Amino acid sequence: MPVRRVVPNLQCDALEENRTFYGLLGMEEVMNQGWVMTLASPANPTAQLSFLTHDRTAPVTPDLSIEVDDVDAAYAAVLNSGAPIVRPLQDEEWGVRRFFVTDPNGRVVNVLAHSGRRCPGGGEPTGRQSS
């Protein structure tokens, strides 16, 4: 099951300040939904950081996101392993299908795939889109 990208998710209350600071290091905003913003390197678009004030549709804010080619297969593998599911597999209105699982370290992992739909506000559901 190929992994397309891994993105650290940083919980914060200062989206604008983080955009400005990481812009100094060459990162640019590629997605912003008001509660989650993703910055990426223009030279390497899969080098990303996401900043979340909260997760709008889930009970917790994930620590990291892993985009896979086949999220249904990933969900089946995780279920069969007995790993704790924090949030079951479901489709989101912004164009991703995802679930949350807790890893052996207690970190919440958002596992997702893009559905190919355009995101509200014009965001692209591509490798440059966030969780």
Side-chain angles (χ1 to χ4, degrees):
M1 165 181 350
V3 172
R4 298 178 57 112
R5 67 188 168 116
V6 177
V7 180
N9 296 324
L10 306 169
Q11 190 165 9
C12 74
D13 293 322
L15 296 179
E16 179 64 36
E17 292 86 343
N18 278 291
R19 178 180 27 251
T20 299
F21 175 80
Y22 286 98
L24 298 171
L25 302 175
M27 299 192 84
E28 297 178 352
E29 181 180 293
V30 294
M31 192 274 303
N32 189 333
Q33 293 194 26
W35 58 273
V36 57
M37 173 185 69
T38 300
L39 306 178
S41 164
N44 181 2
T46 61
Q48 300 181 352
L49 294 172
S50 285
F51 299 88
L52 295 90
T53 59
H54 65 289
D55 191 295
R56 200 182 86 202
T57 64
V60 298
T61 301
D63 296 300
L64 66 123
S65 295
I66 299 177
E67 182 181 357
V68 297
D69 279 345
D70 187 345
V71 71
D72 293 284
Y75 189 65
V78 168
L79 279 176
N80 287 338
S81 78
I85 300 295
V86 176
R87 182 176 178 280
L89 183 65
Q90 69 184 60
D91 295 318
E92 299 289 3
E93 65 183 38
W94 57 89
V96 298
R97 183 166 171 79
R98 68 183 186 152
F99 68 94
F100 290 6
V101 61
T102 303
D103 77 4
N105 304 301
R107 298 200 193 303
V108 177
V109 180
N110 171 29
V111 182
L112 69 125
H114 288 278
S115 65
R117 296 181 302 175
R118 288 191 64 83
C119 302
E124 293 289 338
T126 66
R128 295 186 60 168
Q129 162 71 35
S130 182
S131 49

